[in-house]
Amino acid sequence: MEPSTTPTKPTPKPKPKPGDKGVEQEEGKVQKGKGKLGSLNNPETYENVPGRVIPILENEFSDFDSEAEQFLDGETPEPEFIGFRLKQGVYGQRQPGVQMVRVKLPYGGITPDQMDAFADSVETYAPLKKGHITTRQNIQIHHVPLDQMCHMIRDLAPSGLSSREGCGNTVRNVTGDPWAGVAEDEIFDPTTYVGAYVRYFVRHPTTQLMPRKIKTAFTGSDADRAITGIHDIAFISRIRDGVRGFEIRVGGGTSIMARVAPTLYDFVEADNGDFLKVSEAVFRIFDRQSWLRVNRARARIKVLVDKVGIEEVRRMVDEELEGDWVDERDFTIDHLKFDLDEEALLPEARPATASPNGDRSEFERFVEANVQPQKQEGFNTVEVKIVRGDLTSEQFRGLGQIMRDH
């Protein structure tokens, strides 16, 4: 028998609001900025030199030296030391007495001199004589004794390499499209803005002890080779009325409760620093979510987005941007941008050469699988397969020399 009336659909349960039970916030939390550039609170200096994105502070090596020595002498409790070493990019391992260091390569960029520095370090400090490339564009070196770790990170520094905030509840390494700057389908190359973002948030007081880590990606193309959807926060190049900006996505992640990041804003200006302002607003809100700190496994920003919805997160960010803290910050990016005209540094294109025996079949197969033309006429990108992501010192040096020569 047919029902006389159409069954009514259950009313969707309203999403909780910040401050509701289970979504508690830490009210009145002091969230400072970095301080004036060049001051004692912010002694960083910036260089537009290949590979030198993260400012390196000599005193941090001395601090690591003394903190490690105090821990090894039993003067510092292990939980206290763990928090310190994680911000220096150093992880404990299951094997007793040894550590792993995670060296950040912002947007995956690396120079020949840095390849040589890695070769020297794995030869000197790594028992397995190899380094490992991670999916997030870091280099990890394992099994280093703690009393040797401070020497290794100091040895890497002259080439511009830094492990600062490679671990911990911080803004981790910022990844990017491997074809940034050379892809035909780029809206614009975001590399210079990646540099500004990295420099703004490294050592930033608000991002030193958040509920959990922040993973960031930038891409200049809708092909999305940086896989923005799986990141805590991500930026996709956009141009509106001739103005550069980014679509900002927030709340993606894999592992427990996998989510694809929804769009927070369709367009946020780049050159006026608004993308940094919005990012800091997001991090300030995330940092105050005391309910997320209860369960480390679920303490990611995607949980907040899932709990209250992206519309509510957008309202929270809009409200946060009305706060007095905005006027206390300098969001201009001219001094932060990583401005390097790589095209001006290009060598002359080399003439094509023939195979010595006339048989180019193997070479042609390699080209088909591993070579793509760049938007710069006469130049190409070449992909190199790294088995298991591991590189020996000889391979680091060999690839570094190829980079110099070609």
Side-chain angles (χ1 to χ4, degrees), residues 354-360:
S355 176
N357 61 5
D359 181 4
R360 293 172 57 91

Side-chain angles (χ1 to χ4, degrees), residues 105-109 135-137 173-181 186 189-191 194 198 216-221 224-228 231 235:
L105 303 178
Y107 65 86
T135 56
R136 292 201 50 74
Q137 300 173 345
N173 190 43
V174 180
T175 59
D177 182 350
W179 284 272
E186 249 178 353
D189 178 5
T191 298
V194 177
V198 170
T216 308
F218 280 73
T219 187
S221 162
D224 198 8
R225 288 175 288 266
I227 322 178
T228 58
H231 287 78
F235 303 82

Side-chain angles (χ1 to χ4, degrees), residues 28 56 125:
I56 292 171
Y125 300 105

Side-chain angles (χ1 to χ4, degrees), residues 113-279:
D113 288 347
Q114 290 173 334
M115 295 290 278
D116 290 344
F118 278 124
D120 292 342
S121 288
V122 299
E123 277 184 345
T124 304
Y125 300 105
L128 300 181
K129 306 299 181 188
K130 66 179 182 181
H132 179 76
I133 304 173
T134 77
T135 56
R136 292 201 50 74
Q137 300 173 345
N138 303 282
I139 299 287
Q140 293 181 176
I141 301 173
H142 295 81
H143 303 288
V144 181
L146 183 57
D147 61 358
Q148 294 295 303
M149 184 62 76
C150 54
H151 301 297
M152 186 174 74
I153 59 177
R154 192 188 294 268
D155 287 352
L156 289 168
S159 66
L161 291 168
S162 173
S163 60
R164 175 73 197 196
E165 293 159 44
C167 312
N169 298 333
T170 60
V171 177
R172 298 287 190 87
N173 190 43
V174 180
T175 59
D177 182 350
W179 284 272
V182 300
E184 290 278 4
D185 62 353
E186 249 178 353
I187 298 166
F188 65 83
D189 178 5
T191 298
T192 185
Y193 305 101
V194 177
Y197 178 94
V198 170
R199 289 167 169 175
Y200 186 84
F201 286 111
V202 71
R203 302 184 182 92
H204 193 293
T206 297
T207 62
Q208 295 306 292
L209 195 60
M210 293 182 288
R212 280 291 265 125
K213 59 194 170 187
I214 291 289
K215 293 182 177 180
T216 308
F218 280 73
T219 187
S221 162
D222 284 322
D224 198 8
R225 288 175 288 266
I227 322 178
T228 58
I230 65 171
H231 287 78
D232 297 284
I233 188 167
F235 303 82
I236 304 171
S237 294
R238 296 284 180 250
I239 294 178
R240 182 176 290 180
D241 298 327
V243 177
R244 287 184 172 190
F246 294 104
E247 175 186 340
I248 299 182
R249 296 176 176 177
V250 172
T254 56
S255 189
I256 296 172
M257 206 185 84
R259 293 290 185 273
V260 175
T263 297
L264 179 66
Y265 295 110
D266 291 320
F267 185 84
V268 174
E269 281 194 47
D271 286 307
N272 67 356
D274 275 0
F275 77 107
L276 296 179
K277 186 192 304 182
V278 169
S279 300

Side-chain angles (χ1 to χ4, degrees), residues 317-336:
V317 174
D318 288 342
E319 183 178 77
E320 189 73 18
L321 290 169
E322 297 297 318
D324 293 340
W325 66 275
V326 173
D327 293 331
E328 299 168 2
R329 305 286 191 270
D330 177 9
F331 294 109
T332 59
I333 66 170
D334 287 346
H335 63 297
L336 291 169

